[in-house]
Amino acid sequence: MGSTSARNGHDGVGRRDLIKRSAALGLISVPAMSFLSACASGGGGAEDKVDKGKKSEENPLAVNESAPLDFVLFDGGFGTQYAEDAVKTYEKKFPEAEVKFSSTQKIQSVLQPRFNSGNPPDLIDNSGAEQMDMGVLVGKKQLTDLTPLLDAPSVDDPEKKVRDTLRPGIVEMGQFDGDPVWIMYYAYTVYGIWYSQTALEKLDSEYPKTWDDMLAVCAKAKKKGIAGWTYPGKYPYYMPFSMYPMMAKIGGREVLDAIDNLEPNAWKHPAVKAVFEAYYELFKKGYILKGTTGMTHIQAQTAWNKGDALFIPNGSWVENESSKTTPEDFRMSVGAPQGMDSADKMPFGTIWASGSEPFIVPAKAKNPAGGMEQLRLMLSESASRNTTELVKSLTAFDGGTDGIELTSGLKGCEAALKLAGENVVNPRMQDWYVKLQKEQIGVAGLGELMAGRLTPAEAIKKIQGFADKTAKDSSVKHYKHKK
Amino acid sequence: MQHGKYRFVVGFLAAPLTLYAVFVIWPFIQAVYYSFTDWTGLSPDFKMVGFANYQRMFEDEIFWKSLQHSVLFVVLLPLVTLSLALFFAFMINVGGRARKGAAVTGVRGSGFYKVAYFFPQVLSIAIVAVLFQFAYNPRDGALNSALSAIGLDGFQPSWLGDPDYALWAIMAVLVWSTVGFFVVLFSAGMASIPKDFYEAALLDGAGRITTFFRITLPLLWDTVQSGWIYMGILALGAEAFAVVHIMSVGPGGPDYSTSILPLYIYQSAFRDANAAYATTIGVALLVITLCFAAVVMRLGRRERLEY
Amino acid sequence: MKTTDTPPADATVTGNRPPAVAKSPHVRPAKQRREGSVLNVFSHGMLVLWAFMVVMPLLWAVMTSFKTDANIFGSPWKLPDSLHFENWARAWSEAHMSEYFLNTVVVVGFSLAGTLVLGSMAAYVLARFTFPGNRFLYFLFIGGMSFPIMLALVPLFFVMQNMSLLNTIPGLVLVYIAYSLPFTVFFLTSFFRTLPTSVAEAAFVDGASHTRTFFQVMLPMAKPGLISVGIFNFLGQWNQYMLPTVLNTDPDRRVLAQGLVELAVSQGYKGDWSGLFAGLVMAMLPVLAAYIIFQRQVVAGLTAGALK
């Protein structure tokens, strides 16, 4: 850079030249410093929102037909195709609107500065490892209430509100305290014990309905050199997928509500203890696949696909995620957790199912009506069916599976939901208290229990301690189930 | 040397210093400021809370655990990595048998080693971590397969899943990925040591070990010191974070056995929406790094050999 | 394995003093020789072992990039059943290698040049001149090495936004330079201190200005140091992804590391391992090639430096 002039010019010129350049650089930077005084706090005020459009039957949310829409999608297991297809329907409906669609795996890294500067997008799929904390977003008034969307007529049937086309529990999950609905969960996940129908048949067994049967099946498998269970040892927070509903089955919904409410001694309930002891039994009897504690979800799922283990606690995304390693004749399915005996409070079939892929419309979005309209279009039957076909997942839209060839795992989900009927539970730990659920209960509690490094009694004591600490932590926002 | 000195000093420092102040110092000052607030990171709305975050930090068990692990990283990683790298570089450059006219040569195949050892460096650390997940897979990973191949069927740890091994397994990855770079760096330094030094030593009948400690190490000391600092920062910084984040149970587990400060910062900021607390831990990390740099530079203050 | 005792083939390269050397094996006492050969076996063993440890994983990665996902997990140690080039095609398009590669070369090229020029200027002044505040500035630079970048990201975003540098290549270059300065200054300061003072003084006495002394005398002498710190910075900037993730979100201006890390992260969600391995092998090749070419220059540069 500076060296050429210094070498060619005579003595002083090079230096002066250099000083001049440095000064010039300084001149650019110094006034800039004054702009910089704005900390994150001061970041430019939100520009005005776009004007409302004309409300009509076709346009119930009064979307401005020419206003641009800014849509940021989490690019995860579902990929981006389902959303891109949905964007096309928006563009078709509003040909003058320019849709800026982008996707990322690092939601918070990319969006954090935009929230701080009051310039967030109009619609976000806030998901993945860098999911932004919903409690904080709600608490800091960063989100738009989606009630207008829920009360708008649905795309397929103008007589029906959007709210009435959704699966049970979806609307409630979007509420935090009070009536406003802040989040629209677009996908619908069934959690439980996943297995291969073929593998069970090879053992002349059926899916066990009680824990004793479970142990019997595992014993049978062990004789053949097959492990009963595996789980993502590196992410032990998969364990609750089958353990939580089992607690509810044995002790009733109140057990899970008490846990969610961070009530003192919630974890000391006999039902919790029974479940912990049942699972500890798996470890003690050697029914867990060797090496499981060091495996990622992919490694565990692959071992399960290969038939090294019969059961794995998982969510319905597993079918799509493991599709490349699943044998043709695997016949994947999902089962509800087992119970103890006839004294259980809930029937067999009790299962955990809830919304996933949370979509939000920021409070400072320029075109919130557009964001909601895009969601409304995504909740149409045809869009929902398209998504189910593309990503092998149910959506929040109740139905949307007619006329498509359901995969084995999806059929399992439908059957499990049918069997469950009313008995669907929805523990909120994983969206209310992420750290407590994943790091403390999951890794430090259940992970250690399943590895045999903690006894059930020790694990309960440890987890109760974590829960009590979270309940007392003033930097964490606390929530309660509605009575 | 006094003529026009200040003009020169100012002229030379202006550009780098401005750039540095605007893009590095100023954002960091703001970050430190946030440690006295309750900023969530997700909204521009926050208030001052004084030293509350610091108080919380001092009472936070996980912070202390992460601190311990980070200190272990910063002490052990440079030591192991640099020792290995010095040994390899010495062998490659001067370890060869002196015969047929050459006083000082590398071992046979040193050209190959120089290229091969650099291989890990062409991968970004995130990819290295992904790669090693395969090696550590307890079922059919490279490590356990190799162990059973040599008859150790009884010894099949689950590596990252076992609190006794997890931290060491992760440190090994960092050593693996950085040694090659220092071999290259030290080789460059060794190549610039005049050959007559070695010849003189050989004439005195010095063995290779003596030669190493009497000649190579002292003459290379400045480079070693720089490498030491670089490695220490790596052990406290983004590289250590990436490896723990991708490889460990949880991450940070099992049961906090691999939690380190940068990971805890990341989790506080990006999972718990507590950016203020994250910057508080960041300030602690800053203090530790400065202490580390000060110690190394103090240890490094030896008499300088000019040649 | 033949690891011991074969005379190097290129023995003539450094041998301009045969008499002293020819004697040396004979003057070694017998005891030392025995110690030597035990040491030899051990040392060579270590060298070979380490080479094996660093080469195998990469060869394995290359092999794996041609396999299907089912085979990667099902039989990780077997050779691919056939060469699945479609992995490479997918990675090429998903990681946007072709588009991102050019961006990366431009960004890293300018950053590296800027870092070396500005870094050596600052380091030279700090190493060779006494003035009030010298120590303070030195430690200010060193302190910058120690703060985690991820905490500065949000404030930095606003700095960039206010200067209209967001999502621009020059903006990214300036940030890369700024964040590379601490280590560069630290490294080069200690390097300039080791250079003999006599040469600079002589130049100065001959009437050269400070600036001219720096560019014409000191910089050439500092070439080995510049090369070393250049490698450090090249690697750091080439693999940097945290800064561009936040400051450079425009899809057209992304750098390679962003594409690769996205590819790596997506494995957790999509399980496209074969694509990942293909991508990493592709990204690895240019760096490896650059190193092999560069390595000769390093040696050449160092020799030149040592002659002065």
Side-chain angles (χ1 to χ4, degrees):
Chain A
M1 276 162 116
S3 61
T4 354
S5 61
R7 198 174 301 138
N8 299 338
H10 86 79
D11 289 359
V13 175
R15 185 185 63 222
R16 262 205 299 283
D17 196 32
L18 211 91
I19 292 171
K20 258 188 265 166
R21 281 182 204 191
S22 323
L25 234 168
L27 277 177
I28 301 166
S29 332
V30 168
M33 287 291 280
S34 58
F35 288 99
L36 310 180
S37 57
C39 300
S41 55
E47 288 159 47
D48 289 344
K49 296 201 183 294
V50 298
D51 294 329
K52 279 261 173 191
K54 219 164 139 202
K55 192 167 170 170
S56 69
E57 226 162 87
E58 277 297 291
N59 188 3
L61 291 163
V63 176
N64 180 332
E65 302 191 354
S66 59
L69 178 74
D70 189 343
F71 180 2
V72 177
L73 186 86
F74 165 69
D75 179 12
F78 286 176
T80 59
Q81 191 57 49
Y82 78 100
E84 281 173 49
D85 290 349
V87 165
K88 273 178 212 137
T89 61
Y90 187 94
E91 282 169 334
K92 205 172 147 204
K93 186 164 177 189
F94 304 107
E96 285 170 47
E98 189 198 334
V99 182
K100 193 181 156 217
F101 174 82
S102 61
S103 64
T104 178
Q105 288 153 345
K106 298 181 156 282
I107 285 286
Q108 183 164 342
S109 290
V110 171
L111 294 180
Q112 185 177 31
R114 295 189 61 185
F115 269 93
N116 278 291
S117 62
N119 179 32
D122 302 311
L123 180 63
I124 303 166
D125 169 18
N126 180 22
S127 191
E130 276 200 10
Q131 181 182 68
M132 295 177 289
D133 192 285
M134 298 287 190
V136 170
L137 289 176
V138 172
K140 294 285 179 186
K141 302 193 171 41
Q142 294 292 318
L143 301 183
T144 300
D145 179 9
L146 301 177
T147 305
L149 163 68
L150 294 168
D151 289 335
S154 70
V155 174
D156 302 300
D157 180 1
E159 301 299 309
K160 234 174 166 180
K161 285 180 183 174
V162 168
R163 136 185 347 263
D164 300 323
T165 65
L166 302 177
R167 287 180 191 272
I170 293 286
V171 173
E172 289 72 26
M173 275 190 81
Q175 295 171 329
F176 275 73
D177 27 19
D179 291 331
V181 178
W182 305 111
I183 307 162
M184 181 71 231
Y185 286 90
Y186 184 60
Y188 195 70
T189 299
V190 178
Y191 302 90
I193 300 171
W194 290 75
Y195 61 95
S196 153
Q197 194 64 46
T198 312
L200 281 184
E201 276 166 19
K202 272 192 202 148
L203 286 173
D204 285 324
S205 299
E206 282 184 0
Y207 182 76
K209 292 199 166 84
T210 66
W211 195 254
D212 287 339
D213 291 349
M214 170 58 85
L215 293 177
V217 173
C218 291
K220 218 180 200 176
K222 197 179 180 185
K223 281 198 199 102
K224 296 236 166 119
I226 300 170
W229 281 65
T230 188
Y231 62 93
K234 281 200 178 171
Y235 312 109
Y237 39 81
Y238 276 57
M239 290 313 299
F241 298 160
S242 62
M243 290 175 85
Y244 281 177
M246 185 172 173
M247 291 172 193
K249 178 175 180 339
I250 297 173
R253 286 175 194 275
E254 311 83 76
V255 181
L256 294 183
D257 285 355
I259 287 176
D260 283 347
N261 290 344
L262 300 179
E263 281 168 24
N265 298 325
W267 289 88
K268 299 199 172 145
H269 193 283
V272 176
K273 196 158 168 261
V275 171
F276 274 43
E277 273 163 2
Y279 274 84
Y280 191 59
E281 199 72 7
L282 294 176
F283 163 77
K284 276 207 303 206
K285 295 220 161 97
Y287 294 157
I288 296 174
L289 182 69
K290 217 173 127 237
T292 289
T293 50
M295 283 151 77
T296 63
H297 55 302
I298 302 278
Q299 289 166 345
Q301 283 159 199
T302 308
W304 171 68
N305 283 153
K306 275 163 74 180
D308 295 343
L310 289 180
F311 302 108
I312 188 169
N314 225 319
S316 40
W317 61 78
V318 64
E319 185 173 34
N320 198 31
E321 197 171 72
S322 66
S323 61
K324 291 199 187 98
T325 50
T326 309
E328 294 273 347
D329 62 346
F330 194 72
R331 290 161 64 210
M332 190 181 290
S333 191
V334 59
Q338 290 71 26
M340 286 294 146
D341 47 43
S342 52
D344 289 353
K345 295 258 172 64
M346 292 174 85
F348 175 72
T350 302
I351 205 162
W352 176 0
S354 60
S356 54
E357 295 301 308
F359 280 73
I360 52 176
V361 177
K364 289 183 182 147
K366 303 217 174 17
N367 187 6
M372 283 194 250
E373 175 66 12
Q374 174 71 76
L375 272 177
R376 197 175 74 95
L377 293 173
M378 287 169 74
L379 288 167
S380 72
E381 181 165 4
S382 61
S384 168
R385 186 185 301 130
N386 185 43
T387 304
T388 304
E389 258 179 319
L390 280 172
V391 304
K392 297 182 197 158
S393 166
L394 300 175
T395 72
F397 178 82
D398 197 358
T401 53
D402 304 335
I404 48 176
E405 178 80 26
L406 284 185
T407 55
S408 161
L410 272 177
K411 271 189 218 151
C413 289
E414 291 239 295
L417 286 173
K418 211 169 148 204
L419 177 68
E422 291 284 291
N423 299 309
V424 172
V425 294
N426 184 3
R428 302 301 300 277
M429 286 303 263
Q430 64 180 14
D431 41 333
W432 285 356
Y433 308 109
V434 181
K435 178 179 182 172
L436 176 63
Q437 167 71 7
K438 288 194 168 173
E439 178 182 310
Q440 300 181 324
I441 296 172
V443 178
L446 300 178
E448 296 297 287
L449 175 80
M450 293 308 287
R453 291 189 290 261
L454 285 182
T455 63
E458 286 166 347
I460 286 172
K461 197 174 154 222
K462 194 171 178 184
I463 291 175
Q464 185 64 55
F466 286 135
D468 292 343
K469 225 168 144 191
T470 305
K472 274 189 225 122
D473 188 342
S474 61
S475 75
V476 175
K477 195 159 163 44
H478 299 110
Y479 305 96
K480 291 262 189 279
H481 277 279
K482 274 190 259 176
K483 285 275 154 64
Chain B
M1 297 270 280
Q2 288 302 312
H3 163 72
K5 187 176 94 174
Y6 285 103
R7 261 169 65 190
F8 173 71
V9 165
V10 172
F12 259 41
L13 278 177
L17 206 57
T18 314
L19 208 60
Y20 184 62
V22 171
F23 293 110
V24 183
I25 300 286
W26 178 232
F28 278 142
I29 290 176
Q30 292 187 47
V32 172
Y33 163 74
Y34 291 136
S35 74
F36 296 100
T37 69
D38 66 348
W39 185 44
T40 57
L42 294 179
S43 93
D45 157 33
F46 59 83
K47 60 176 189 302
M48 296 295 289
V49 295
F51 283 90
N53 287 317
Y54 288 87
Q55 198 185 343
R56 177 195 167 105
M57 181 171 80
F58 288 121
E59 289 163 4
D60 185 348
E61 255 174 83
I62 308 306
F63 165 74
W64 289 110
K65 228 173 215 176
S66 312
L67 180 75
Q68 269 175 21
H69 297 146
S70 274
V71 169
L72 194 68
F73 266 48
V74 84
V75 172
L76 275 184
L77 278 177
L79 196 68
V80 174
T81 308
L82 296 185
S83 307
L84 273 174
L86 274 171
F87 169 74
F88 290 139
F90 185 73
M91 289 303 293
I92 289 171
N93 289 284
V94 276
R97 270 289 161 92
R99 274 200 194 167
K100 281 202 185 162
V104 191
T105 63
V107 295
R108 193 174 143 85
S110 61
F112 164 74
Y113 290 130
K114 268 187 208 167
V115 174
Y117 282 16
F118 192 75
F119 276 10
Q121 207 59 50
V122 302
L123 302 174
S124 86
I125 194 78
I127 305 262
V128 168
V130 170
L131 207 59
F132 268 84
Q133 288 206 324
F134 283 84
Y136 283 131
N137 183 345
R139 287 191 66 75
D140 38 24
L143 225 59
N144 281 357
S145 301
L147 283 176
S148 56
I150 57 169
L152 284 170
D153 281 315
F155 183 69
Q156 299 270 302
S158 67
W159 301 111
L160 299 165
D162 189 328
D164 294 336
Y165 295 105
L167 194 68
W168 305 105
I170 284 171
M171 289 218 268
V173 173
L174 281 168
V175 171
W176 181 88
S177 68
T178 45
V179 162
F181 174 67
F182 290 105
V183 170
V184 172
L185 188 73
F186 295 152
S187 292
M190 285 180 194
S192 65
I193 295 175
K195 304 269 182 247
D196 354 6
F197 283 41
Y198 290 113
E199 283 159 13
L202 285 173
L203 275 178
D204 290 346
R208 276 185 293 189
I209 299 178
T210 329
T211 317
F212 175 78
F213 283 104
R214 288 283 177 75
I215 298 178
T216 314
L217 193 57
L219 288 175
L220 215 59
W221 190 251
D222 278 320
T223 316
V224 174
Q225 200 189 335
S226 307
W228 194 289
I229 299 234
Y230 186 80
M231 191 64 205
I233 285 158
L234 193 142
L236 291 172
E239 279 80 1
F241 162 75
V243 175
V244 172
H245 184 61
I246 295 172
M247 295 180 67
S248 71
V249 170
D255 202 14
Y256 301 107
S257 60
T258 57
S259 181
I260 55 169
L261 288 178
L263 178 76
Y264 199 38
I265 291 172
Y266 176 84
Q267 289 177 329
S268 298
F270 287 85
R271 185 194 58 199
D272 306 337
N274 197 345
Y277 189 52
T279 53
T280 312
I281 304 169
V283 173
L285 186 56
L286 175 78
V287 171
I288 293 164
T289 316
L290 287 179
C291 289
F292 163 76
V295 167
V296 173
M297 286 199 285
R298 223 185 158 84
L299 284 180
R301 211 170 281 157
R302 292 194 174 184
E303 80 269 39
R304 206 158 257 130
L305 288 154
E306 281 211 9
Y307 51 88
Chain C
M1 236 168 280
K2 252 169 82 181
T3 51
T4 44
D5 252 8
T6 324
D10 57 345
T12 46
V13 177
T14 43
N16 46 5
R17 254 173 254 196
V21 183
K23 254 190 274 167
S24 63
H26 303 287
V27 286
R28 281 191 192 169
K31 190 179 145 217
Q32 229 171 34
R33 220 173 181 168
R34 238 188 345 267
E35 171 224 80
S37 69
V38 172
L39 198 71
N40 234 6
V41 173
F42 169 77
S43 312
H44 285 261
M46 284 289 286
L47 281 171
V48 171
L49 183 72
W50 191 264
F52 182 79
M53 278 170 59
V54 291
V55 174
M56 281 322 284
L58 294 203
L59 287 183
W60 181 80
V62 173
M63 177 184 91
T64 303
S65 71
F66 290 107
K67 289 163 84 164
T68 62
D69 284 281
N71 280 337
I72 292 175
F73 284 93
S75 38
W77 308 111
K78 287 196 196 116
L79 286 170
D81 45 5
S82 64
L83 296 180
H84 292 269
F85 278 104
E86 68 271 17
N87 300 337
W88 285 60
R90 201 169 56 246
W92 180 266
S93 59
E94 261 179 44
H96 302 271
M97 293 282 175
S98 46
E99 304 139 57
Y100 296 169
F101 188 76
L102 194 67
N103 289 340
T104 314
V105 169
V106 170
V107 170
V108 173
F110 280 105
S111 306
L112 198 58
T115 307
L116 289 181
V117 170
L118 295 182
S120 59
M121 279 161 59
Y124 178 65
V125 169
L126 291 174
R128 286 306 181 88
F129 293 83
T130 46
F131 56 90
N134 180 315
R135 296 299 282 172
F136 171 76
L137 288 178
Y138 179 63
F139 282 109
L140 192 67
F141 273 113
I142 293 192
M145 289 192 290
S146 59
F147 212 71
I149 293 184
M150 60 178 96
L151 292 183
L153 287 176
V154 170
L156 185 60
F157 179 90
F158 289 104
V159 171
M160 301 282 284
Q161 195 177 43
N162 291 333
M163 296 171 79
S164 306
L165 286 172
L166 266 189
N167 292 328
T168 63
I169 297 275
L172 206 57
V173 168
L174 288 179
V175 170
Y176 274 27
I177 296 176
Y179 280 84
S180 305
L181 278 179
F183 185 76
T184 310
V185 168
F186 160 75
F187 187 96
L188 288 177
T189 306
S190 70
F191 194 86
F192 278 121
R193 283 195 191 129
T194 63
L195 291 182
T197 48
S198 50
V199 185
E201 270 159 18
F204 199 72
V205 168
D206 286 350
S209 69
H210 286 297
T211 313
R212 188 165 161 174
T213 310
F214 173 73
F215 283 110
Q216 292 192 343
V217 179
M218 296 313 286
L219 267 196
M221 278 174 72
K223 202 169 155 197
L226 288 174
I227 290 173
S228 303
V229 81
I231 309 175
F232 274 111
N233 283 321
F234 172 76
L235 291 169
Q237 293 174 354
W238 185 269
N239 289 326
Q240 175 63 258
Y241 71 92
M242 225 185 270
L243 291 170
T245 299
V246 176
L247 305 174
N248 185 40
T249 51
D250 184 342
D252 294 337
R253 296 210 178 82
R254 284 198 183 154
V255 294
L256 202 56
Q258 282 173 287
L260 264 185
V261 168
E262 290 246 320
L263 201 63
V265 174
S266 84
Q267 304 331 305
Y269 304 114
K270 291 177 198 153
D272 181 13
W273 294 92
S274 48
L276 170 70
F277 283 109
L280 82 87
V281 172
M282 261 187 270
M284 177 173 102
L285 293 177
V287 189
L288 196 59
Y291 167 72
I292 293 175
I293 299 162
F294 206 52
Q295 189 226 351
R296 291 173 198 284
Q297 290 186 343
V298 172
V299 175
L302 289 165
T303 323
L307 284 176
K308 298 242 160 154

